[in-house]
Amino acid sequence: MEVILAEKYGFCFGVKRAIKITEKIAQTNPNTLTLGPLIHNPLEISRLEKNFGVKVQENINNLGQSKSVIIRTHGITKQNLETLKQKGVSITDATCPFVTKPQKIVEEMSNNGYDIIIFGDENHPEVRSVMSYSIKTPIVIANIESLKEIGKIPKKIAIVSQTTKQIEKFAEIVQYLVTNSLEVRVFNTICNATFENQEATRNLSQKADIMVIVGGKSSANTKQLFYIAQTHCPDSYLVENENDIQPSWFESKNICGISAGASTPNWVIKNVEEKIKNLKYP
Amino acid sequence: MEVILAEKYGFCFGVKRAIKITEKIAQTNPNTLTLGPLIHNPLEISRLEKNFGVKVQENINNLGQSKSVIIRTHGITKQNLETLKQKGVSITDATCPFVTKPQKIVEEMSNNGYDIIIFGDENHPEVRSVMSYSIKTPIVIANIESLKEIGKIPKKIAIVSQTTKQIEKFAEIVQYLVTNSLEVRVFNTICNATFENQEATRNLSQKADIMVIVGGKSSANTKQLFYIAQTHCPDSYLVENENDIQPSWFESKNICGISAGASTPNWVIKNVEEKIKNLKYP
């Protein structure tokens, strides 16, 4: 069986940047914590805790003795940022610049009287952070079906996307809005790395007969890669590390494609690749 | 054979308004002329000349003795408007407000650094008038294919549509832009009358087995009605008046649908309807 890595995969600019920032801050601030996981990869989070003592705290009212707080790649809400500032802790912003952008757009458009629509998962921390910059509660839609259910579409709309969404689905939603509204301001806030990783996964999954996507199970961009792979290659699997791999998946397969989410460390991908290459078939 | 008129058809607000303005001005200014035909209907243009002495002049440098010029429903270019002003003639603006709107949008967006895209026919006077309000020469596309041929899509785009285009095609173009640009400002400038006439024609042509569309052959909105009718009812015909009708079209037909463009006078539609109702079949 041939094993092929996607042309683009793994750590994106925003994740690399956040890890670098975190390692640096943690070296001089022993009690550093992140508000929620820095990235959606439990293995990398464990590494940061083990090697740098960086802890994860979900509750903003439970910072304990820590005087150094890092904002995760997905950003936090405007309200939580205010709360943090009032606590007088040292704040380091590791929000991915591709997330800061829709936050700013939503704030500006909302101030200018546009109704905000966000294409994304309203339970995802990135979307919650972006939502918080709108004056009125924005409309958050996970797909075109939920848009069609909202009834009356506002007349002046600004729309942004969660950075990890598929551009085709975003465009499909915009198409619907245009036919039902007078003015639509469309900001393509899908990040380049997402777009490139998706393209590469799409291409590879069209020739592979098994696809293995490596990444955290709560990582939105990893899940998108998995959905794309599955569309073209029904035998697609999402694994967090090499231990999730089952040899039976690979029986009578010729080409195994591997891709990985933007928050998946290289060493995890390497371990998965090695495990697959060394599989003993029955 | 049953003869059914579309639920909405014929004269729109902008056309009615322009005719009213023209008749009023012509009553006090015997030498009134319009720069290009007021509307795209030669029968109505003849009526205005015959009853009110309103002449059509295509060439702005050939106004002769006239001191009263009316701007057609489709608008004129910004440059021509300047030229007219310098000539010191009395100017009456009968530009449809639905055309003034994209003119203003294009001017504002262009001033704000957006590249302008116009969905429309670049030889149509309306589009030429709207184009002239952009600082840089705008991109004019007649369909999605010509958009795909332009190569690199600008990063910050504002797009408007010729008022008479089909909303579905406009939305399809926007969908393509969104996937290839960072910011797209979409202004749905398709006029309501167009939209309603198109909807009514679509509905009627789905049950008719012959469709007759009445209107000027250079009228963009009339041609759109014809294309829509043809999609659902292959036996569709575009006629300028009752003389264009051929009895053989109606042989063994059960339902004849009639619709008419926004510049088609009611009396022309009535004549067509009567002619069809009184047809003698072989």
Side-chain angles (χ1 to χ4, degrees):
Chain A
M1 185 180 68
E2 195 182 353
V3 177
I4 307 175
L5 280 157
E7 281 204 0
K8 292 258 183 185
Y9 63 90
F11 270 13
C12 62
F13 155 77
V15 166
K16 280 186 204 156
R17 177 177 169 274
I19 291 171
K20 212 165 167 182
I21 290 172
T22 304
E23 289 178 350
K24 194 177 161 197
I25 292 292
Q27 275 161 357
T28 47
N29 297 273
N31 262 329
T32 291
L33 52 80
T34 63
L35 206 55
L38 184 71
I39 61 172
H40 271 138
N41 191 284
L43 298 167
E44 183 63 16
I45 298 298
S46 301
R47 191 190 69 86
L48 287 170
E49 179 166 5
K50 201 175 139 204
N51 297 1
F52 296 87
V54 180
K55 289 200 163 60
V56 177
Q57 178 51 257
E58 293 284 355
N59 187 344
I60 198 168
N61 295 315
N62 209 357
L63 302 185
Q65 296 308 307
S66 177
K67 291 284 165 214
S68 165
V69 175
I70 294 174
I71 298 176
R72 62 196 293 180
T73 49
H74 318 96
I76 56 174
T77 63
K78 198 176 173 178
Q79 295 72 27
N80 274 352
L81 183 60
E82 276 313 305
T83 308
L84 267 192
K85 282 179 183 168
Q86 283 161 14
K87 286 184 185 288
V89 294
S90 151
I91 303 168
T92 307
D93 190 1
T95 307
C96 172
F98 286 110
V99 176
T100 312
K101 194 180 144 195
Q103 287 175 345
K104 284 189 180 152
I105 291 170
V106 164
E107 187 163 42
E108 191 193 331
M109 292 300 113
S110 179
N111 284 340
N112 283 303
Y114 289 85
D115 278 287
I116 307 295
I117 298 187
I118 301 171
F119 171 41
D121 167 9
E122 70 175 322
N123 296 314
H124 191 283
E126 175 190 323
V127 175
R128 299 207 76 82
S129 82
V130 174
M131 286 172 74
S132 71
Y133 284 83
S134 173
I135 300 168
K136 280 168 64 180
T137 307
I139 300 168
V140 182
I141 46 157
N143 47 47
I144 192 157
E145 289 71 31
S146 54
L147 174 61
K148 288 177 181 168
E149 280 163 14
I150 68 165
K152 203 166 158 53
I153 307 277
K155 282 192 178 169
K156 277 180 71 179
I157 296 166
I159 180 168
V160 296
S161 172
Q162 189 174 351
T163 54
T164 47
K165 286 289 181 188
Q166 291 182 48
I167 184 73
E168 294 78 11
K169 308 226 163 185
F170 183 53
E172 198 187 345
I173 284 162
V174 170
Q175 188 181 30
Y176 181 81
L177 288 177
V178 167
T179 57
N180 291 282
S181 187
L182 286 178
E183 185 187 347
V184 187
R185 294 187 70 160
V186 188
F187 298 88
N188 178 355
T189 50
I190 297 169
C191 87
N192 265 353
T194 292
F195 183 75
E196 288 171 0
N197 281 0
Q198 289 182 358
E199 275 289 288
T201 297
R202 188 173 292 114
N203 292 339
L204 183 54
S205 62
Q206 280 164 350
K207 60 179 178 182
D209 50 6
I210 173 166
M211 285 291 295
V212 175
I213 310 296
V214 194
K217 289 190 174 135
S218 53
S219 156
N221 84 82
T222 305
K223 280 188 277 185
Q224 286 295 336
L225 294 184
F226 174 63
Y227 298 143
I228 290 170
Q230 221 176 17
T231 308
H232 303 287
C233 174
D235 284 329
S236 293
Y237 301 91
L238 176 55
V239 302
E240 214 149 75
N241 61 26
E242 69 275 16
N243 300 326
D244 290 345
I245 285 173
Q246 294 179 26
S248 61
W249 296 344
F250 302 86
E251 274 169 33
S252 66
K253 298 297 184 194
N254 295 314
I255 300 177
C256 170
I258 300 180
S259 188
S263 47
T264 314
N266 236 353
W267 57 272
V268 179
I269 305 166
K270 278 279 155 222
N271 286 351
V272 168
E273 189 187 357
E274 285 309 308
K275 170 89 175 256
I276 293 175
K277 281 185 172 166
N278 295 323
L279 279 174
K280 298 279 173 285
Y281 300 103
Chain B
M1 185 180 68
E2 194 182 354
V3 177
I4 307 174
L5 280 158
E7 282 204 358
K8 291 258 181 183
Y9 63 89
F11 271 11
C12 63
F13 155 77
V15 166
K16 280 187 204 156
R17 177 177 169 274
I19 291 171
K20 212 166 169 181
I21 289 173
T22 303
E23 290 178 350
K24 194 176 162 200
I25 291 292
Q27 275 160 356
T28 47
N29 297 273
N31 263 328
T32 291
L33 52 80
T34 63
L35 206 54
L38 185 72
I39 60 172
H40 271 139
N41 192 284
L43 298 166
E44 182 65 14
I45 298 298
S46 303
R47 190 191 69 87
L48 287 170
E49 180 167 4
K50 199 175 140 204
N51 296 2
F52 296 87
V54 180
K55 288 203 163 57
V56 178
Q57 178 50 258
E58 292 285 355
N59 188 343
I60 197 167
N61 295 314
N62 210 359
L63 302 184
Q65 298 307 307
S66 177
K67 292 282 165 216
S68 165
V69 175
I70 294 175
I71 299 177
R72 62 197 293 182
T73 49
H74 318 96
I76 56 173
T77 63
K78 198 176 173 180
Q79 297 73 27
N80 274 352
L81 184 58
E82 276 313 305
T83 308
L84 267 191
K85 283 178 182 167
Q86 283 159 16
K87 286 183 186 286
V89 295
S90 150
I91 303 168
T92 307
D93 191 1
T95 306
C96 171
F98 286 111
V99 176
T100 312
K101 192 179 147 199
Q103 288 175 345
K104 284 189 181 154
I105 290 170
V106 164
E107 186 163 43
E108 190 193 331
M109 291 300 113
S110 180
N111 286 339
N112 283 302
Y114 289 86
D115 278 286
I116 306 295
I117 298 186
I118 301 170
F119 171 41
D121 167 9
E122 70 175 321
N123 297 313
H124 193 283
E126 175 191 323
V127 175
R128 300 207 74 82
S129 83
V130 174
M131 285 172 75
S132 72
Y133 283 84
S134 173
I135 300 169
K136 280 166 65 179
T137 308
I139 299 167
V140 181
I141 46 157
N143 48 47
I144 192 159
E145 288 73 29
S146 54
L147 174 60
K148 287 177 182 171
E149 280 163 14
I150 68 165
K152 205 167 156 50
I153 307 277
K155 282 191 178 168
K156 278 180 72 179
I157 297 165
I159 180 167
V160 297
S161 173
Q162 189 173 351
T163 54
T164 47
K165 287 288 180 188
Q166 291 182 47
I167 184 73
E168 295 78 11
K169 308 226 164 186
F170 183 53
E172 198 187 345
I173 283 162
V174 170
Q175 188 181 31
Y176 180 81
L177 288 177
V178 167
T179 58
N180 290 282
S181 187
L182 286 178
E183 185 187 345
V184 188
R185 293 187 71 160
V186 189
F187 298 88
N188 179 356
T189 51
I190 297 169
C191 88
N192 263 355
T194 291
F195 182 76
E196 288 171 0
N197 281 1
Q198 289 182 359
E199 274 289 288
T201 298
R202 189 173 291 116
N203 292 341
L204 183 53
S205 62
Q206 281 165 350
K207 60 180 179 182
D209 50 7
I210 174 166
M211 283 290 296
V212 176
I213 310 296
V214 193
K217 288 192 176 135
S218 53
S219 156
N221 84 81
T222 304
K223 281 188 277 184
Q224 286 296 336
L225 294 183
F226 174 63
Y227 299 144
I228 290 170
Q230 221 175 17
T231 308
H232 303 287
C233 173
D235 284 329
S236 293
Y237 301 90
L238 176 56
V239 303
E240 215 150 74
N241 62 26
E242 68 277 16
N243 300 327
D244 290 344
I245 285 172
Q246 295 177 27
S248 62
W249 298 343
F250 303 86
E251 272 168 33
S252 67
K253 299 295 183 195
N254 296 312
I255 300 176
C256 171
I258 299 180
S259 188
S263 46
T264 314
N266 235 353
W267 56 271
V268 179
I269 306 166
K270 278 277 155 227
N271 286 351
V272 168
E273 189 188 358
E274 285 310 306
K275 170 91 175 254
I276 293 174
K277 282 186 170 164
N278 296 324
L279 280 173
K280 297 280 173 284
Y281 302 102

